[in-house]
Amino acid sequence: MYYERESLFPTQLGQAMLRENQHMLTKSMATMDDSSQDCAHIMYDALVSNPIDTVQQIYTQFNWKYTAEYDAKLKAFLLEDNARRAAVKKTLNQSIDGQQTLNEHSLTDFGLCVDDLNTEVFKKYKKRFELDSLKY
């Protein structure tokens, strides 16, 4: 989703995204229940902090061949993406604790609280994927 800053209403966006995520989780869990196909559950933080290992884990889970050629392409993409992100951060000149960042938000920025993420839908999802230790 993209919004111009002057047309962004954070509380409305927070509520809309909460509803959308509840819908997506309900739908995806139903699809997984009805499907004979496996699915991978990937934590965003793991993908961002260690993308190569995360992708390799996906390949291992699905018994796909992870080739040296693919590894080289993935590493090249990550180098290019990191350079592009660094350039954007530099132009934004945003700084939090001395670290430049593209986006840094909290639930309260969008009119939400932890209780909003403890509804039955989120509880079922966390239980299914053993995410009880997940913190917000």
Side-chain angles (χ1 to χ4, degrees):
M1 298 181 118
Y2 174 80
Y3 292 90
E4 294 291 336
R5 286 199 185 272
E6 50 280 351
S7 66
L8 178 65
F9 299 102
T11 301
Q12 290 174 348
L13 178 60
Q15 289 301 313
M17 292 309 302
L18 182 66
R19 284 189 307 274
E20 182 63 25
N21 279 287
Q22 288 173 328
H23 172 75
M24 287 188 302
L25 290 177
T26 300
K27 192 93 164 144
S28 65
M29 286 190 292
T31 300
M32 286 182 267
D33 290 341
D34 294 341
S35 175
S36 62
Q37 296 180 350
D38 289 333
C39 79
H41 184 271
I42 304 301
M43 296 300 291
Y44 177 78
D45 290 344
L47 182 61
V48 170
S49 66
N50 204 340
I52 293 174
D53 282 353
T54 303
V55 170
Q56 287 174 339
Q57 289 171 13
I58 295 168
Y59 271 62
T60 298
Q61 178 180 336
F62 290 108
N63 207 20
W64 297 338
K65 186 176 180 181
Y66 187 91
T67 65
E69 178 184 6
Y70 179 74
D71 188 67
K73 288 180 180 182
L74 181 55
K75 287 176 180 175
F77 167 79
L78 291 170
L79 282 173
E80 182 182 318
D81 187 58
N82 286 336
R84 187 172 43 246
R85 288 176 169 274
V88 170
K89 287 179 184 180
K90 189 174 181 180
T91 62
L92 292 176
N93 197 25
Q94 293 180 349
S95 180
I96 295 177
D97 296 332
Q99 297 276 330
Q100 288 181 319
T101 180
L102 290 177
N103 294 293
E104 187 75 26
H105 300 288
S106 69
L107 290 171
T108 57
D109 291 344
F110 296 95
L112 299 172
C113 66
V114 171
D115 288 344
D116 294 318
L117 301 180
N118 285 323
T119 64
E120 198 60 33
V121 173
F122 290 109
K123 285 180 183 178
K124 286 180 183 178
Y125 184 82
K126 287 171 63 173
K127 183 177 179 182
R128 181 180 190 133
F129 290 103
E130 300 172 2
L131 301 172
D132 292 328
S133 63
L134 186 63
K135 302 291 182 221
Y136 306 111

